[in-house]
Amino acid sequence: VRILVLGAAAGGGFPQWNAASPACRRARAGDPAALPATQASIAVSTDGERWLLVNASPDLRWQIERTPALQPRRGPRSSPIAAVVLTNADVDAVAGLLTLREGTPFALYAHPTVLAILDRNPIFEVVRRDLVPRRALALDEPVAVRDAAGTPLGLTLLPFAAPGKAPLYLEGEDPVTDALTGEVLGLELRAGGRRLVYLGNCAVVSERVRARVAGADLLFMDGTLWSDDELVAAGVSEKTGRRMGHVSIDGPDGAVARLADVPLGRRILIHLNNSNPALLADSAERARLDAAGWEVARDGMEILL
Ligand code: MLT
Ligand code: MN
C-alpha cells in the first residue's frame, strides 16, 4: 500500500491567509523549520495507478500538480484519481470536489449525513452525478472501494463514527457529539493484510476510539491543536479545541497520553492548525513528540506500508 500525504494542515492551511503569527511569518519567509502545509488529505493506492483520496481539500488542484502520481497519463482526459472518500462535510474536506468538476468519472463515498449536505448545496451539482456516483457508507460496514465503473481498487474501507460535530456552517449551540450520526467518520483502510486508520477529526479519544485504532499498522491522528486553549491564548478565537471538535495533542486527555498504551505501528499527526507549535521542526513541542514516538505529517510525505 502506497500512501501520499497531500496536505498536513488544518482548515486554513499553514500559513493561513489572514494570520500574522510568528510561525506563519516564518513559513512565508521560507524558514526550513516552518515548512508551509496545505489542507489535510491523503492519497492511497495498492497499484500506484489508481488512487483513493481521503477528503478533497480546497488545495487539491495544487496538490495534484505537485504530485506526479495523481497526474493524467492518458489523453485527452483522464485521472489516476479513481475514488474520493469524505470523512465529514467541513469546507477543508469537501471544497476540492469543485476542482474535480471537469467531467472525468470517479466514485464518491461518504456517510448519508454528509451526502445529504452535498445534496442540499446545488454548487456540488457541477460534479456530475451521471459520471460521479455518490455512494453511501454505512457505519461499521466494510466496503470494497471501486472506481466509477465498478472495478475494485484492492482496498477495503471500514468507516466508523468518530466523536465530532457538524460542519461550522451548520452547527448549533452545543455541537460536539459522540452520537453515531455520521457527521464525522474515522476510516479504517485494509489492503494486503495491512491496516491504516485515518482519524483526522476526533473530538475525544474515547474508549471506543482506542479500541478502533488498536493494532493498526499506521494511524493518522487529529493533531489540530497542541493545547485545548491555544486559540484563546493566541487571542484569535473564543473557542477551545474541544468546542471545535478536536482533541488536543497535549494534556492528560490529549491524544498522546490517551494513545500511549495503545499498540500501533507508526503514529502520525495530521490536520495541524497554523497555531500549533508542533508544525515547527525546531520547537520544544516537536522534540517531545519525537521522544514519545509520534511523527508529524508533512506535505509530500510518502509511506509504503
Ligand atoms: C475544523 O476542522 O474544525 C474545520 O475545518 C474548521 C473550519 O471549517 O474552518
Ligand atoms: Mn478541518
Side-chain angles (χ1 to χ4, degrees), residues 77-105:
R77 293 279 193 274
S78 66
S79 172
I81 298 171
V84 176
V85 58
L86 305 175
T87 59
N88 61 76
D90 284 352
V91 171
D92 61 347
V94 303
L97 289 175
L98 303 178
T99 294
L100 303 178
R101 70 184 177 281
E102 315 286 356
T104 289

Short mmCIF file of all heavy atoms in Angstrom, two decimals, residues 77-105:
data_model
loop_
_atom_site.label_atom_id
_atom_site.label_comp_id
_atom_site.label_asym_id
_atom_site.label_seq_id
_atom_site.Cartn_x
_atom_site.Cartn_y
_atom_site.Cartn_z
N ARG A 77 -8.55 13.12 -21.83
CA ARG A 77 -8.94 13.43 -20.46
C ARG A 77 -8.89 12.14 -19.63
O ARG A 77 -9.46 11.12 -20.04
CB ARG A 77 -10.38 13.95 -20.39
CG ARG A 77 -10.60 15.30 -21.03
CD ARG A 77 -10.19 16.42 -20.10
NE ARG A 77 -10.68 17.70 -20.59
CZ ARG A 77 -10.02 18.44 -21.48
NH1 ARG A 77 -8.87 18.01 -21.98
NH2 ARG A 77 -10.52 19.60 -21.87
N SER A 78 -8.24 12.17 -18.47
CA SER A 78 -8.24 11.02 -17.58
C SER A 78 -7.66 11.47 -16.25
O SER A 78 -7.15 12.60 -16.13
CB SER A 78 -7.38 9.88 -18.15
OG SER A 78 -6.01 10.27 -18.18
N SER A 79 -7.75 10.60 -15.26
CA SER A 79 -7.13 10.91 -13.97
C SER A 79 -6.86 9.64 -13.21
O SER A 79 -7.68 8.72 -13.22
CB SER A 79 -8.07 11.79 -13.13
OG SER A 79 -7.53 11.92 -11.82
N PRO A 80 -5.72 9.54 -12.53
CA PRO A 80 -5.47 8.40 -11.64
C PRO A 80 -6.36 8.44 -10.39
O PRO A 80 -6.37 7.47 -9.64
CB PRO A 80 -4.00 8.56 -11.25
CG PRO A 80 -3.42 9.54 -12.23
CD PRO A 80 -4.55 10.43 -12.64
N ILE A 81 -7.08 9.54 -10.18
CA ILE A 81 -7.97 9.61 -9.01
C ILE A 81 -9.24 8.82 -9.34
O ILE A 81 -10.07 9.24 -10.13
CB ILE A 81 -8.31 11.07 -8.65
CG1 ILE A 81 -7.01 11.81 -8.28
CG2 ILE A 81 -9.33 11.13 -7.51
CD1 ILE A 81 -7.17 13.31 -8.11
N ALA A 82 -9.34 7.63 -8.75
CA ALA A 82 -10.44 6.71 -9.06
C ALA A 82 -11.60 6.88 -8.08
O ALA A 82 -12.74 6.55 -8.41
CB ALA A 82 -9.94 5.27 -9.04
N ALA A 83 -11.30 7.33 -6.88
CA ALA A 83 -12.35 7.45 -5.86
C ALA A 83 -11.94 8.48 -4.82
O ALA A 83 -10.75 8.74 -4.61
CB ALA A 83 -12.59 6.09 -5.19
N VAL A 84 -12.96 9.07 -4.21
CA VAL A 84 -12.75 10.03 -3.13
C VAL A 84 -13.67 9.62 -1.99
O VAL A 84 -14.84 9.32 -2.22
CB VAL A 84 -13.11 11.47 -3.58
CG1 VAL A 84 -12.98 12.46 -2.41
CG2 VAL A 84 -12.24 11.92 -4.76
N VAL A 85 -13.13 9.57 -0.78
CA VAL A 85 -13.99 9.31 0.38
C VAL A 85 -13.91 10.53 1.30
O VAL A 85 -12.84 11.09 1.53
CB VAL A 85 -13.60 8.00 1.12
CG1 VAL A 85 -12.16 7.99 1.59
CG2 VAL A 85 -14.54 7.75 2.31
N LEU A 86 -15.08 10.95 1.77
CA LEU A 86 -15.16 12.13 2.64
C LEU A 86 -15.36 11.69 4.08
O LEU A 86 -16.21 10.84 4.36
CB LEU A 86 -16.34 13.01 2.22
CG LEU A 86 -16.36 13.45 0.76
CD1 LEU A 86 -17.65 14.20 0.46
CD2 LEU A 86 -15.15 14.30 0.43
N THR A 87 -14.60 12.30 5.00
CA THR A 87 -14.77 11.96 6.41
C THR A 87 -15.79 12.87 7.10
O THR A 87 -16.24 12.57 8.19
CB THR A 87 -13.45 12.05 7.19
OG1 THR A 87 -12.94 13.39 7.09
CG2 THR A 87 -12.42 11.07 6.65
N ASN A 88 -16.09 14.00 6.47
CA ASN A 88 -17.03 14.96 7.05
C ASN A 88 -17.33 15.98 5.96
O ASN A 88 -16.80 15.88 4.86
CB ASN A 88 -16.44 15.63 8.31
CG ASN A 88 -15.17 16.40 8.00
OD1 ASN A 88 -15.22 17.49 7.44
ND2 ASN A 88 -14.02 15.81 8.31
N ALA A 89 -18.16 16.98 6.29
CA ALA A 89 -18.54 17.97 5.28
C ALA A 89 -17.95 19.35 5.57
O ALA A 89 -18.43 20.36 5.05
CB ALA A 89 -20.06 18.05 5.16
N ASP A 90 -16.88 19.40 6.38
CA ASP A 90 -16.21 20.68 6.60
C ASP A 90 -15.67 21.21 5.28
O ASP A 90 -15.35 20.43 4.36
CB ASP A 90 -15.03 20.52 7.57
CG ASP A 90 -15.48 20.38 9.02
OD1 ASP A 90 -16.68 20.55 9.29
OD2 ASP A 90 -14.62 20.08 9.87
N VAL A 91 -15.53 22.53 5.22
CA VAL A 91 -15.02 23.15 4.00
C VAL A 91 -13.68 22.54 3.59
O VAL A 91 -13.44 22.29 2.40
CB VAL A 91 -14.86 24.69 4.22
CG1 VAL A 91 -14.13 25.33 3.05
CG2 VAL A 91 -16.23 25.33 4.41
N ASP A 92 -12.82 22.26 4.57
CA ASP A 92 -11.49 21.75 4.22
C ASP A 92 -11.52 20.30 3.76
O ASP A 92 -10.50 19.78 3.30
CB ASP A 92 -10.48 21.97 5.35
CG ASP A 92 -10.84 21.28 6.65
OD1 ASP A 92 -11.99 20.82 6.79
OD2 ASP A 92 -9.97 21.20 7.54
N ALA A 93 -12.68 19.65 3.85
CA ALA A 93 -12.78 18.26 3.38
C ALA A 93 -13.53 18.13 2.05
O ALA A 93 -13.34 17.15 1.33
CB ALA A 93 -13.49 17.40 4.43
N VAL A 94 -14.36 19.12 1.72
CA VAL A 94 -15.21 18.96 0.53
C VAL A 94 -14.97 19.98 -0.58
O VAL A 94 -15.38 19.76 -1.72
CB VAL A 94 -16.72 18.98 0.89
CG1 VAL A 94 -17.04 17.89 1.91
CG2 VAL A 94 -17.19 20.34 1.39
N ALA A 95 -14.36 21.11 -0.26
CA ALA A 95 -14.27 22.18 -1.28
C ALA A 95 -13.51 21.74 -2.52
O ALA A 95 -13.78 22.22 -3.63
CB ALA A 95 -13.64 23.44 -0.68
N GLY A 96 -12.57 20.80 -2.36
CA GLY A 96 -11.81 20.31 -3.50
C GLY A 96 -12.63 19.53 -4.51
O GLY A 96 -12.19 19.32 -5.64
N LEU A 97 -13.83 19.12 -4.13
CA LEU A 97 -14.71 18.46 -5.11
C LEU A 97 -14.97 19.40 -6.29
O LEU A 97 -15.13 18.95 -7.43
CB LEU A 97 -16.04 18.06 -4.46
CG LEU A 97 -15.99 16.91 -3.46
CD1 LEU A 97 -17.36 16.72 -2.82
CD2 LEU A 97 -15.54 15.62 -4.16
N LEU A 98 -15.01 20.69 -6.00
CA LEU A 98 -15.29 21.66 -7.07
C LEU A 98 -14.15 21.71 -8.08
O LEU A 98 -14.35 22.08 -9.23
CB LEU A 98 -15.55 23.05 -6.47
CG LEU A 98 -16.69 23.10 -5.45
CD1 LEU A 98 -16.85 24.50 -4.89
CD2 LEU A 98 -18.00 22.62 -6.07
N THR A 99 -12.97 21.30 -7.65
CA THR A 99 -11.82 21.20 -8.56
C THR A 99 -11.98 20.01 -9.50
O THR A 99 -11.43 20.01 -10.60
CB THR A 99 -10.52 21.05 -7.73
OG1 THR A 99 -10.31 22.25 -7.01
CG2 THR A 99 -9.31 20.77 -8.59
N LEU A 100 -12.73 19.00 -9.06
CA LEU A 100 -12.86 17.75 -9.85
C LEU A 100 -14.10 17.79 -10.74
O LEU A 100 -14.77 16.79 -10.93
CB LEU A 100 -12.91 16.55 -8.90
CG LEU A 100 -11.72 16.40 -7.94
CD1 LEU A 100 -11.92 15.19 -7.03
CD2 LEU A 100 -10.40 16.27 -8.72
N ARG A 101 -14.41 18.96 -11.29
CA ARG A 101 -15.71 19.14 -11.94
C ARG A 101 -15.69 19.04 -13.46
O ARG A 101 -16.70 19.29 -14.08
CB ARG A 101 -16.28 20.50 -11.56
CG ARG A 101 -15.54 21.69 -12.17
CD ARG A 101 -16.10 23.01 -11.68
NE ARG A 101 -15.37 24.16 -12.17
CZ ARG A 101 -14.21 24.60 -11.69
NH1 ARG A 101 -13.63 23.97 -10.70
NH2 ARG A 101 -13.63 25.66 -12.22
N GLU A 102 -14.56 18.66 -14.03
CA GLU A 102 -14.47 18.79 -15.49
C GLU A 102 -14.90 17.54 -16.26
O GLU A 102 -14.49 17.33 -17.39
CB GLU A 102 -13.05 19.20 -15.91
CG GLU A 102 -12.43 20.31 -15.08
CD GLU A 102 -13.02 21.71 -15.37
OE1 GLU A 102 -13.87 21.81 -16.27
OE2 GLU A 102 -12.62 22.66 -14.69
N GLY A 103 -15.72 16.70 -15.67
CA GLY A 103 -16.34 15.64 -16.45
C GLY A 103 -15.55 14.35 -16.56
O GLY A 103 -15.74 13.59 -17.51
N THR A 104 -14.65 14.09 -15.63
CA THR A 104 -13.96 12.79 -15.61
C THR A 104 -14.53 11.96 -14.46
O THR A 104 -14.67 12.47 -13.34
CB THR A 104 -12.43 13.00 -15.46
OG1 THR A 104 -11.94 13.54 -16.69
CG2 THR A 104 -11.72 11.69 -15.18
N PRO A 105 -14.89 10.69 -14.73
CA PRO A 105 -15.55 9.88 -13.71
C PRO A 105 -14.63 9.53 -12.54
O PRO A 105 -13.43 9.35 -12.71
CB PRO A 105 -15.92 8.59 -14.45
CG PRO A 105 -15.74 8.86 -15.89
CD PRO A 105 -14.75 9.98 -16.01
#
